[in-house]
Amino acid sequence: MTYYIFVNNMESEKSVRKPSGKSKLAQTGLIQSLGKMPPQASELEQAVLGALMIEKEALTIVIDILKPESFYHEKHQKIYACILELFDESEPVDILTVTQKLRTKGELEFAGGAYYITELTTRVSSAANIETHARIISEQAIKRELISIASEIQREAFEDTTDVFELLNRTEQSLYQVSEANIRKNYAEMRAILREALDELVSRRNQENALTGVPSGFTDLDRITSGWQKSDLIILAARPGMGKTAFVVSAMRNAAVDFKKGVAIFSLEMSAVQLVNRLISAEAELDSEKIKKGNLEEYEWQQLHHKIRKLDSAPIFIDDTPGLSIRELRTKCRRLKAKNDIQMVIIDYLQLMTAEGGKGGPGNREQEISQISRALKNLAKEINVPVIALSQLSRAVETRGGDKKPQLSDLRESGAIEQDADMVVFLYRPEYYKIDEDEMGNSLKGMGEVIIAKHRNGSLDSVFLKFIGKYTKFADLEKSSFGGGGGGASPMEDNYNPNNFDSGGAKTFSSKINDFGKQNSPEGGNDDDSVPF
């Protein structure tokens, strides 16, 4: 069959039925300028449709491969869509049912008429090669989509008003969508999955430490979680003033500096410089107020320069873009994963993000938050790293009596956050609510409780940490600091070993950096590198 492409729009419309939509028109314009037909496999489309109407099981083979828009001819799109509707309604699929369905929808003539549908079944005798035919059709459809994207890029690139960086972002997103829509992971047999699981168990057994994920650097927390696990979405939630950013910055520092794990943090609330100032304060153990004002003594400047050397080479990547959208986040994370092999992503914080295109508004904020949380979970699975997203809690915590410990129902604006998260962690400081002692009379001053309220792949528990306000950081407790509970070793100590986990709490070692200070430890004395405060 020979096709002719004419410059005249009306003649061209008669010669070739153009795909609908703006992108399809752009695609056709590019193809016309090249003097070529769009990629297609018309005969295979007819063969596949015919096979679907003569063999009952054929649809289950191609339903994951083909979509109505995978077909080039619109009449074939209509027929395939009709077949899918019959399948969804648990109706039989054959010549008569498809013809009747198209007739009731008023699309029979548009689909070529009853004779054409009957003729489709005469082109094949069985569905023996239908999967191969379907994959060829899908490949041709992908080519057409790429032509559409290329045509749109070409058109916009010629416009003087085009923002080139926005065009780059849209191009990358469009290509990603083509990949996601057409290249899907298939099921795997039990034998293959079992072998993979056993291989992982063997590799874990041969590991030098007990951690299978990214370490937080907090001994008792790592004992419960075995580190932040790949593809997990972790929601860290608390009321304002509890120290969410301080906790996550401490965990980020431990992972990047002590364990050399690449970490990307997207700070929507604080600037990059403010965030680094927090890191400097915690690392050099200098009062954050002094860092803010630059009011440091000479020995403090020397201490600062000596202590922050580790930060200089730490694989930490900070992005402080305000109002970051899910699309921008996904793009940046994919680039960081490909270029720098990041092992963890942190978002501070979830409620400051916007959904696709910045749509939302007060009326459907809950729906927008649901979209964001679901996208974050998809991102964690896509790049196979833990994603920690900070979140605010509702004011219901403040109106509640008692100790005001947060609950899952306090998650702000959307129940989808709880649903999508693999782990929900609450941060709670009793001292914030003027609670200085627990029921046993133990002091709670300077204590922070990490409450694991949801743990899809592990147990629920609580861990006590030391909150050092003037350094804006969290650190492990010494056993003697809190009645023997929640003890832990500092990961900065040379003899720190994640294997030192036991049922009665982790072993305790003296700390050099991530501790409350040598002067507060049972051993007493000062580190040679530090200056007493």
Side-chain angles (χ1 to χ4, degrees):
M1 183 179 295
T2 304
Y3 293 89
Y4 296 93
I5 306 298
F6 299 96
V7 176
N8 183 282
N9 287 336
M10 292 187 65
E11 290 178 324
S12 175
E13 188 73 33
K14 292 177 182 177
S15 304
V16 180
R17 185 181 295 276
K18 299 178 183 177
S20 59
K22 179 181 176 181
S23 62
K24 296 297 183 183
L25 290 174
Q27 167 189 304
T28 306
L30 179 60
I31 291 167
Q32 285 185 340
S33 67
L34 297 174
K36 295 182 179 180
M37 287 293 298
Q40 56 184 288
S42 300
E43 293 184 354
L44 292 182
E45 289 183 10
Q46 294 172 337
V48 166
L49 292 174
L52 292 175
M53 289 187 285
I54 62 174
E55 287 199 16
K56 183 173 65 174
E57 302 300 328
L59 184 58
T60 59
I61 300 173
V62 303
I63 198 167
D64 291 332
I65 303 172
L66 296 177
K67 303 182 294 293
E69 55 269 27
S70 300
F71 292 85
Y72 174 70
H73 296 283
E74 288 189 44
K75 59 184 177 183
H76 294 165
Q77 294 178 12
K78 296 292 183 183
I79 295 170
Y80 186 68
C82 177
I83 291 172
L84 291 179
E85 286 185 37
L86 289 169
F87 177 79
D88 292 338
E89 296 167 2
S90 300
E91 296 290 337
V93 177
D94 56 36
I95 300 172
L96 297 177
T97 56
V98 171
T99 302
Q100 183 59 31
K101 186 71 173 178
L102 287 168
R103 184 179 285 114
T104 57
K105 294 175 66 177
E107 297 177 348
L108 181 59
E109 294 304 317
F110 188 82
Y115 177 77
Y116 182 73
I117 294 171
T118 304
E119 190 181 41
L120 290 175
T121 61
T122 65
R123 294 181 174 271
V124 288
S125 57
S126 71
N129 300 315
I130 192 170
E131 183 176 356
T132 302
H133 296 164
R135 294 198 182 280
I136 294 172
I137 293 170
S138 178
E139 289 171 8
Q140 299 303 308
I142 293 173
K143 289 181 180 179
R144 293 197 299 273
E145 288 185 73
L146 293 175
I147 290 171
S148 296
I149 294 169
S151 177
E152 192 70 16
I153 294 168
Q154 184 186 51
R155 186 186 65 79
E156 292 198 31
F158 276 108
E159 295 290 337
D160 293 334
T161 57
T162 298
D163 185 330
V164 66
F165 297 106
E166 178 62 24
L167 178 59
L168 279 171
N169 184 53
R170 288 203 307 272
T171 301
E172 187 174 273
Q173 179 64 21
S174 298
L175 291 172
Y176 172 72
Q177 287 175 346
V178 171
S179 175
E180 284 293 290
N182 294 281
I183 303 174
R184 292 191 169 274
K185 186 177 179 181
N186 204 352
Y187 63 85
E189 292 184 1
M190 181 63 184
R191 179 181 299 177
I193 302 173
L194 190 61
R195 187 179 297 112
E196 183 179 348
L198 290 174
D199 289 342
E200 282 191 10
L201 286 175
V202 171
S203 65
R204 289 173 186 175
R205 183 187 65 181
N206 296 332
Q207 281 183 340
E208 294 182 1
N209 56 57
L211 302 180
T212 58
V214 178
S216 69
F218 303 121
T219 310
D220 278 7
L221 184 59
D222 284 339
R223 175 175 54 81
I224 297 168
T225 64
S226 294
W228 310 119
Q229 298 299 310
K230 292 181 179 180
S231 78
D232 274 5
L233 172 61
I234 300 110
I235 298 295
L236 175 66
R239 287 293 294 155
M242 287 293 173
K244 295 187 298 297
T245 303
F247 174 84
V248 82
V249 167
S250 298
M252 174 185 70
R253 181 257 171 233
N254 295 340
V257 174
D258 298 316
F259 298 95
K260 308 302 179 187
K261 303 289 186 182
V263 182
I265 180 167
F266 295 86
S267 179
L268 285 77
E269 189 174 32
M270 300 172 62
S271 71
V273 173
Q274 289 175 321
L275 201 63
V276 170
N277 281 340
R278 285 202 173 199
L279 275 167
I280 292 172
S281 173
E283 189 73 13
E285 294 189 340
L286 294 172
D287 195 315
S288 58
E289 286 297 318
K290 286 190 173 184
I291 297 290
K292 186 189 299 182
K293 296 175 182 177
N295 186 23
L296 300 177
E297 302 293 338
E298 183 61 32
Y299 74 88
E300 290 175 324
W301 278 109
Q302 293 177 9
Q303 179 175 329
L304 184 150
H305 285 294
H306 177 74
K307 292 280 190 177
I308 65 172
R309 288 174 184 170
K310 291 181 180 179
L311 293 178
D312 187 56
S313 58
I316 297 173
F317 307 91
I318 302 173
D319 187 309
D320 60 358
T321 304
L324 190 70
S325 71
I326 280 293
R327 179 178 298 165
E328 292 171 321
L329 174 71
R330 194 163 53 216
T331 300
K332 290 177 178 181
C333 286
R334 286 200 304 269
R335 290 174 184 166
L336 284 167
K337 180 65 177 177
K339 186 177 180 180
N340 304 105
D341 193 27
I342 57 171
Q343 300 297 308
M344 184 165 69
V345 173
I346 298 170
I347 297 125
D348 183 14
Y349 59 92
L350 188 149
Q351 278 81 10
L352 291 179
M353 294 193 70
T354 58
E356 299 293 352
K359 296 179 181 178
N364 57 352
R365 180 59 177 165
E366 183 173 340
Q367 182 180 352
E368 186 178 14
I369 291 295
S370 299
Q371 183 181 348
I372 292 169
S373 67
R374 194 160 295 113
L376 291 179
K377 174 57 184 173
N378 291 338
L379 173 65
K381 291 184 67 177
E382 178 192 339
I383 63 175
N384 197 32
V385 303
V387 173
I388 302 177
L390 278 60
S391 177
Q392 295 282 17
L393 292 177
S394 69
R395 291 190 178 92
V397 178
E398 311 295 336
T399 60
R400 199 163 49 234
D403 57 13
K404 302 184 186 298
K405 283 191 178 182
Q407 304 170 1
L408 287 172
S409 58
D410 297 325
L411 285 170
R412 186 174 169 184
E413 290 179 311
S414 177
I417 297 177
E418 176 188 346
Q419 177 183 327
D420 295 326
D422 296 281
M423 187 185 297
V424 176
V425 178
F426 293 126
L427 202 57
Y428 171 70
R429 291 196 298 114
E431 191 177 12
Y432 183 86
Y433 296 110
K434 306 296 189 292
I435 302 173
D436 297 329
E437 292 184 350
D438 65 5
E439 61 275 9
M440 302 297 292
N442 293 313
S443 175
L444 294 174
K445 290 184 178 180
M447 298 296 169
E449 185 177 2
V450 180
I451 305 167
I452 302 176
K454 178 187 177 182
H455 195 183
R456 185 166 286 160
N457 301 306
S459 60
L460 306 181
D461 208 338
S462 294
V463 173
F464 278 95
L465 300 174
K466 191 71 178 177
F467 175 67
I468 311 172
K470 64 179 180 178
Y471 303 150
T472 58
K473 74 172 182 178
F474 282 82
D476 273 327
L477 288 173
E478 296 285 352
K479 280 190 176 181
S480 60
S481 301
F482 188 59
S490 169
M492 272 56 69
E493 182 62 41
D494 293 338
N495 58 354
Y496 170 79
N497 188 343
N499 281 320
N500 289 325
F501 298 146
D502 57 56
S503 58
K507 296 181 181 179
T508 305
F509 302 102
S510 59
S511 170
K512 289 183 179 176
I513 296 176
N514 192 17
D515 204 319
F516 192 52
K518 273 259 186 173
Q519 64 273 25
N520 294 324
S521 68
E523 293 81 7
N526 291 308
D527 193 326
D528 293 339
D529 294 332
S530 65
V531 178
F533 296 98

